[in-house]
Amino acid sequence: MIKIKYILTAVLAATLTISGISCQKPAKEIPAWPWTDPTPAPQPVEPEEPEEPEEPEEEPLFVGKPRYVWIDASANFRFYANDKDAIAEDLRKIKSVGFTDVIVDVRPTEGNVLFKSAVAPQVKRLAAWVDGKYKFVNRTADFDYLQAFIDTGHEVGLRVNAAMNTFVCGYGGYYGLESEGPIFSGDIPPEWATVVNGKDGLESSFYEGVEGTVFMNPANSKVRDYMLALIGELAQYNLDGIILDRCRYDDTGLQSDFSQESRTAFEQYAGSAVASWPSDIFKPGTSTLPRSLSSLQKSWMSFRVKVIHDFVEAASNIVHQANSKMRFGCYVGAWYDSYYSSGVNWASPDYNARSSYSWADAEYSKYGYADHCDFMMLGCYAGTGSVYGNGEWTMQGFAKLGKQKIGSKTEVAGGPDVGNSTGFENGGQSAVIPKTIDACINSCDGYFVFDLCHIRMYDYWTAFKQGFDDYLKTVK
């Protein structure tokens, strides 16, 4: 609009200038025109383009800080695997209680997926606790599991976020059941599994008779490409956000990963060869840090967090390129003091870990990844007797300290595990639920709870509504 006005002004000025030149008195008089000039026909005037009205500000979707509930795939599969109506019914109930967001697990720990994918196999069955024991729940329905949550969630006014377990590829020995997952079915190669520096030396985490979650090596470029392709597919959905869970090294902690891929990548990072692998890093079977670390060991610690940092950065870019309005983030345990064992620095790069922790060198802080996350879920998994406090292993302390480390640029929602943490295992904790909300939501940017199955199992619906109502009374 402004450009058009400038053009019209310029044209008018040029016209006046030309007109002025043509009206100057010539050297020799020209006889007057003998006929009366006709009245010129009116020239059409270009109508000005109407100014576009300013877009009205969007009404906020909810009042106060966000309140998230996690929906684990396996734990809730018996209800949702084949029943869209059950999904819709629970989402309406979740909304009525006062939650603002759901986090739908669509890549459970066994590694197959619950969304459309040309990269990974679909979930056909998951182990779930049914009638007092674990058994497989089969999925026979053909509806899009994730889309069912998105459709009803948005209809009732919930934000819908999808979560995926990241560096996992199978689960061995499902409580006496058969092993499940893409590494067991041959959909991904066994070489992708982590190599563990166990007490008997280096060995693959994928072996006959393995029990528990099998992890892939984050330092393997083929593994990273595989997971980034999956994240790209997930970002095609009309989601409000994507959250990475288990975006870390495996459950053996400091013993992972000592594959040849990791050795090559570390030597490139360090700028020199490791003479004795893996002993120059850690002796076989090392599961805790020595009192004093060598410069090489500190460099190894920073290398591991760099591997995860670089993956998170790449995943964040993929999500935002697919949809600039879609939020990206990670779930992490709030116990930063020991989270180094998972090879993760979830703090802001502005946080100086070296000033507080002897195992961190100058590079460690550089690879904090919070600045690549729009939001983060902080597992403040203290027990029922440790709701309030200022230190780690209290819910309130976890939330406060985590927010301080992550900083103001990233939204942080913290909260409890109301089914597995100490005191919560057998239910009966309705009186504690409002306290967890008060302690966490007022110590960071929001509230997060794991898991919906426990809310249903122990009938905590009223307790959550009371806690949210109490909080909302304080919102101005």
Side-chain angles (χ1 to χ4, degrees):
M1 177 63 203
I2 294 172
K3 288 183 178 178
I4 292 172
K5 287 184 177 179
Y6 283 153
I7 292 169
L8 289 174
T9 303
V11 170
L12 180 59
T15 303
L16 289 172
T17 303
I18 293 169
S19 174
I21 293 172
S22 64
C23 290
Q24 288 178 359
K25 187 175 180 180
K28 189 176 181 180
E29 292 290 338
I30 299 175
W33 191 254
W35 297 285
T36 305
D37 286 335
T39 303
Q43 296 296 312
V45 178
E46 294 248 348
E48 291 188 357
E49 292 184 11
E51 293 188 8
E52 293 184 7
E54 293 184 7
E55 291 187 9
E57 292 186 9
E58 291 185 12
E59 289 289 328
L61 193 61
F62 53 85
V63 175
K65 297 178 182 180
R67 286 91 67 189
Y68 299 85
V69 59
W70 195 283
I71 304 176
D72 182 80
S74 296
N76 296 284
F77 208 55
R78 59 182 290 200
F79 304 103
Y80 302 150
N82 303 299
D83 194 341
K84 290 174 71 174
D85 292 338
I87 293 171
E89 181 180 351
D90 278 0
L91 288 175
R92 293 187 182 97
K93 197 167 187 177
I94 287 167
K95 174 66 176 178
S96 69
V97 164
F99 285 103
T100 64
D101 287 69
V102 292
I103 303 170
V104 186
D105 175 15
V106 293
R107 188 175 191 256
T109 51
E110 49 83 57
N112 292 329
V113 299
L114 286 161
F115 59 92
K116 291 180 180 178
S117 174
V119 176
Q122 293 290 309
V123 169
K124 294 180 179 177
R125 64 181 185 178
L126 287 176
W129 186 255
V130 182
D131 300 329
K133 63 180 180 179
Y134 279 98
K135 61 173 67 175
F136 279 120
V137 174
N138 295 307
R139 183 159 201 259
T140 56
D142 60 0
F143 67 84
D144 188 321
Y145 182 88
L146 175 56
Q147 192 63 51
F149 281 93
I150 294 172
D151 290 344
T152 300
H154 286 168
E155 178 186 323
V156 301
L158 288 166
R159 292 190 301 190
V160 180
N161 309 278
M164 60 162 56
N165 285 273
T166 310
F167 292 115
V168 301
C169 57
Y171 198 100
Y174 261 122
Y175 308 97
L177 302 174
E178 298 153 329
S179 298
E180 193 76 13
I183 200 164
F184 291 100
S185 62
D187 288 287
I188 63 171
E191 294 79 18
W192 287 8
T194 53
V195 173
V196 176
N197 183 23
K199 62 180 181 179
D200 297 324
L202 300 181
E203 60 182 5
S204 172
S205 61
F206 176 60
Y207 55 87
E208 188 174 351
V210 63
E211 294 184 356
T213 305
V214 181
F215 277 71
M216 300 180 288
N217 176 16
N220 186 317
S221 61
K222 292 181 180 178
V223 168
R224 294 196 302 271
D225 290 345
Y226 175 82
M227 286 310 307
L228 291 173
L230 270 180
I231 292 168
E233 289 183 321
L234 187 56
Q236 301 307 309
Y237 279 82
N238 183 30
L239 289 161
D240 296 286
I242 290 176
I243 297 171
L244 302 186
D245 188 10
R246 289 185 171 85
C247 186
R248 56 176 174 82
Y249 282 86
D250 66 23
D251 295 336
T252 60
L254 294 176
Q255 296 179 3
S256 178
D257 172 275
F258 286 87
S259 64
Q260 186 57 47
E261 289 87 357
S262 291
R263 179 178 186 175
T264 300
F266 175 64
E267 290 176 341
Q268 290 175 348
Y269 169 81
S272 61
V274 179
S276 180
W277 181 268
S279 297
D280 283 354
I281 307 296
F282 293 125
K283 293 178 181 179
T286 298
S287 58
T288 58
L289 288 178
R291 285 182 177 271
S292 178
L293 272 68
S294 68
S295 59
L296 186 66
Q297 288 171 327
K298 288 184 178 181
S299 185
W300 172 253
M301 301 285 282
S302 292
F303 163 74
R304 293 171 87 225
V305 298
K306 180 183 186 300
V307 168
I308 301 300
H309 166 278
D310 291 354
F311 178 83
V312 168
E313 180 180 16
S316 176
N317 289 340
I318 283 175
V319 170
H320 292 137
Q321 286 166 8
N323 184 344
S324 61
K325 294 183 179 180
M326 189 180 296
R327 300 195 303 165
F328 171 82
C330 295
Y331 161 84
V332 294
W335 40 98
Y336 189 89
D337 280 5
S338 57
Y339 220 69
Y340 61 79
S341 66
S342 296
V344 173
N345 180 4
W346 46 256
S348 163
D350 296 330
Y351 174 71
N352 185 3
R354 190 183 186 188
S355 66
S356 301
Y357 301 102
S358 61
W359 37 259
D361 65 9
E363 294 293 295
Y364 196 94
S365 293
K366 181 179 174 181
Y367 299 119
Y369 67 52
D371 59 325
H372 296 295
C373 296
D374 303 300
F375 64 150
M376 292 176 69
M377 299 298 115
L378 204 59
C380 302
Y381 293 170
T384 54
S386 302
V387 175
Y388 293 100
N390 294 315
E392 283 199 354
W393 295 108
T394 67
M395 295 180 199
Q396 186 179 40
F398 269 147
K400 282 182 178 179
L401 294 172
K403 179 59 184 174
Q404 290 170 10
K405 291 177 173 68
I406 291 170
S408 61
K409 297 177 183 177
T410 303
E411 178 195 287
V412 179
D417 176 339
V418 295
N420 300 296
S421 294
T422 303
F424 281 114
E425 304 96 331
N426 299 309
Q429 299 299 324
S430 292
V432 177
I433 298 298
K435 296 177 183 178
T436 73
I437 295 170
D438 175 62
C440 294
I441 204 166
N442 291 309
S443 300
C444 56
D445 306 314
Y447 181 81
F448 149 74
V449 63
F450 183 90
D451 180 88
L452 176 64
C453 70
H454 304 124
I455 298 174
R456 182 193 300 108
M457 182 185 300
Y458 300 124
D459 194 18
Y460 286 148
W461 297 105
T462 301
F464 273 99
K465 179 162 177 44
Q466 177 190 332
F468 291 144
D469 286 349
D470 290 344
Y471 159 68
L472 290 170
K473 289 174 186 176
T474 70
V475 177
K476 296 180 180 178

